[in-house]
Amino acid sequence: MKMNNTQIAIPFVNLNFQHQLIQNQLQQAIQAVLEQGDFILGKALADFEAAFAAACGTEYGVGVASGTDAIALGLQACKIGFGDEVILPVNTFVATLIGVLRAGAKPIFVDCDPRTALIDLEAAARAITSKTKAIIPVHLYGQMVSPKQLLDLADTYKLLIFEDAAQAHLAEREGYRAGSVGIAAAFSFYPSKNLGGVGDGGMLVTRDPDVAQTMIRLRNYGASQKYFHTESGTNSRLDTIQAAVLHQKLPYLAQWNHDRLQIAQDYDTELAPLAANGIIPIENHSGEGHVYHLYVMRICDSCPVERSEIQAQLMAAGIQTGIHYPIPCHLQPAFAELGYQVGDFPHAEMLAKQILSLPMYPGLSNSQVKEISSAIAAELPTHLPVAI
Ligand SMILES: *Cc1c(COP(=O)(O)O)cnc(C)c1O
C-alpha cells in the first residue's frame, strides 16, 4: 500500500515485502494471461480454484468478485434465505451482516467472548429458535472458532455451519483447517488479507458438489449453460488475472502466516509488562494455528491513558494503528431497523471501545515490534500500582 505521507515510519500494512520477493513471477503470470486473453473464467482461475480448495482441505473452490459476494451468494447456494434465521457475531466486519441480508435471511446477532473476541457459542445456543437454519462463525483476526464446539452445537440443533474465513486463510485449530469445518466457507482476497490479490476478489470453498455447482451458476447470471438460466444469479467472477496473481502467492502463504505468528509472539513478549497498566492482548486459544490477520490489544478501563490518546501518540511517532471495529454491527445506522439497542451486547460494545490493532504484516521486523511496544510503554506512567 503506497503511503503518500512521508511522516509514517511504520505503516499499519505494507505489501512491498511480498511483492518485491515475487515481482518477476507476478509480472510473468500477468503477461501470460494477457497473451492467453481468457480474462473471464479462464484457465488460471480453474487452476487456482482447485489449488486453493486443496490448501483449505476441501474439494471445490468457486472464485467470485469479493468476500462479500462469497458470503451472499454462498448462503444462497446453501439454500439459506427467506424465512431462515442465521446466527452471527455482532462484532464482525459489516460484510458478514450484508451477506446475510442479501441472501434474504434474518440476521440474529450474538455477543462475543471478551478474551478472544470470537463468537460466544453459549450465547449462540441461547439464540436458537425453530427458524434457525445456520450459524456463521467468523474466524476473527485469524483465529478459528473452536471446530469441535461448533460441530457439537450444529449437531445438537441441526444447524448448517457457514464459515466466514475472510481473515483466516490456512488457519488451523483442533486438527481442522479454516474452510473445512462447515457446509461451505467464504474467503476474501482483498489486497491486505493474508492472501491478497491486486484488487478485489473472493472464493467460496465447499466439499458439497451441489453447493459448488449452484455457486458456479449464481456467479454467472444463473446460467447452467450459455443463455439458459435456471436461477436469477448475478455477475460476480474472480478475474483470471487476479487468480493468476493469487496462485503465484499461494505457495508463500504458509511462510507469511508463520512470519505473522512470530511477530505476534514478539508483541506478546514485549507487551507482557504492560498488563499491570491494563494493556492486554486479545487471547490466542488456538496455538500455532492462529494466522494473525490482525494483532489486537485491549486498553482496559484500568489503563490510566485513553485509547484515543495512545493512538494519537503512536501516530505522532509515525506508527499507524487501526480499530477493528469501532462500531459493532447492531449500532450501525444502516441497520437500526433490526431493532437492537445500546446495551444488547455488552462484551462487543466494551471491546469496540478498548481494542487497538497494531501494525502486522510479513516483513515487519523484531526491532520495529520493539519500537512500537516501547512507544506504547512510553505513554504510561511508571511504577503504577497493579489495578486490574
Ligand atoms: C474482508 C472481510 C469480508 C469481506 O470481504 P471483501 O472481499 O472485502 O468483500 C467479510 N468478512 C470479514 C470478516 C472480512 O474481514
Side-chain angles (χ1 to χ4, degrees):
M1 219 157 277
K2 198 160 163 50
M3 296 295 160
N4 41 28
N5 185 344
T6 49
Q7 306 279 70
I8 293 173
I10 308 181
F12 184 64
V13 176
N14 184 347
L15 304 176
N16 294 341
F17 169 86
Q18 293 182 19
H19 291 155
Q20 277 160 12
L21 184 70
I22 55 169
Q23 195 171 336
N24 291 340
Q25 283 165 253
L26 291 182
Q27 277 166 358
Q28 280 165 24
I30 290 168
Q31 185 64 29
V33 178
L34 287 177
E35 282 164 22
Q36 198 74 25
D38 56 349
F39 301 120
I40 303 295
L41 300 178
K43 180 171 183 304
L45 174 60
D47 290 348
F48 174 60
E49 287 173 332
F52 189 72
C56 297
T58 184
E59 290 288 319
Y60 307 98
V62 183
V64 291
S66 68
T68 307
D69 278 359
I71 299 168
L73 301 175
L75 289 170
Q76 247 179 288
C78 295
K79 311 236 171 336
I80 298 163
F82 187 76
D84 297 329
E85 292 181 357
V86 173
I87 291 175
L88 73 162
V90 74
N91 62 322
T92 182
F93 181 53
V94 73
T96 320
L97 170 60
I98 289 173
V100 173
L101 292 169
R102 271 180 51 199
K106 182 176 180 194
I108 303 293
F109 291 129
V110 302
D111 209 347
C112 61
D113 179 331
R115 297 168 302 167
T116 59
L118 297 175
I119 187 167
D120 176 345
L121 291 177
E122 284 167 20
R126 291 193 295 274
I128 291 168
T129 72
S130 60
K131 291 183 176 159
T132 310
K133 178 88 172 262
I135 178 166
I136 305 185
V138 178
H139 302 317
L140 198 70
Y141 307 149
Q143 169 160 226
M144 287 181 75
V145 178
S146 166
K148 280 190 187 139
Q149 290 177 37
L150 269 172
L151 289 162
D152 271 357
L153 186 78
D155 192 47
T156 307
Y157 296 98
K158 304 294 164 238
L159 305 182
L160 296 175
I161 299 169
F162 184 100
E163 297 168 74
D164 181 339
Q167 302 187 355
H169 314 68
L170 302 195
E172 289 177 351
R173 186 163 178 177
E174 297 156 4
Y176 291 84
R177 213 162 244 200
S180 70
V181 180
I183 181 169
F187 286 89
S188 164
F189 304 122
Y190 180 81
S192 63
K193 297 289 162 91
N194 290 38
L195 180 61
V198 288
D200 275 310
M203 193 177 289
L204 186 86
V205 302
T206 179
R207 65 169 59 82
D208 183 322
D210 293 333
V211 170
Q213 280 308 316
T214 308
M215 192 69 178
I216 285 170
R217 294 193 298 273
L218 287 174
R219 71 166 172 187
N220 198 33
Y221 322 105
S224 60
Q225 40 183 299
K226 201 160 198 190
Y227 306 132
F228 186 76
H229 302 267
T230 49
E231 53 251 285
S232 175
T234 189
N235 174 353
S236 176
R237 291 145 329 193
L238 180 62
D239 292 334
T240 309
I241 274 194
Q242 295 297 344
V245 164
L246 290 160
H247 205 162
Q248 290 301 316
K249 289 178 138 193
L250 182 58
Y252 299 88
L253 180 57
Q255 179 61 50
W256 289 339
N257 280 342
H258 191 265
D259 294 348
R260 290 173 180 272
L261 178 67
Q262 181 63 57
I263 292 164
Q265 288 169 348
D266 291 348
Y267 271 129
D268 284 347
T269 306
E270 297 298 324
L271 296 176
L274 309 188
N277 277 299
I279 291 190
I280 53 173
I282 291 290
E283 291 175 19
N284 174 7
H285 290 187
S286 55
E288 308 252 302
H290 193 325
V291 296
Y292 282 99
H293 173 58
L294 295 167
Y295 185 89
V296 180
M297 65 178 196
R298 292 169 63 186
I299 297 155
C300 298
D301 298 348
S302 59
C303 182
V305 188
E306 299 268 308
R307 174 179 66 179
S308 57
E309 183 60 21
I310 291 182
Q311 196 174 25
Q313 291 296 329
L314 287 172
M315 195 66 250
I319 298 163
Q320 251 185 351
T321 56
I323 297 172
H324 301 88
Y325 297 92
I327 305 174
C329 288
H330 70 298
L331 301 178
Q332 292 288 354
F335 310 109
E337 66 195 27
L338 293 175
Y340 292 97
Q341 285 169 17
V342 174
D344 284 349
F345 304 103
H347 291 150
E349 290 170 32
M350 175 182 73
L351 284 187
K353 295 195 183 97
Q354 294 180 340
I355 50 181
L356 189 67
S357 312
L358 302 179
M360 167 57 81
Y361 46 86
L364 188 74
S365 68
N366 178 261
S367 62
Q368 286 174 311
V369 168
K370 287 194 162 121
E371 186 183 333
I372 295 161
S373 306
S374 334
I376 297 167
E379 294 170 43
L380 302 169
T382 48
H383 307 304
L384 207 85
V386 179
I388 297 188

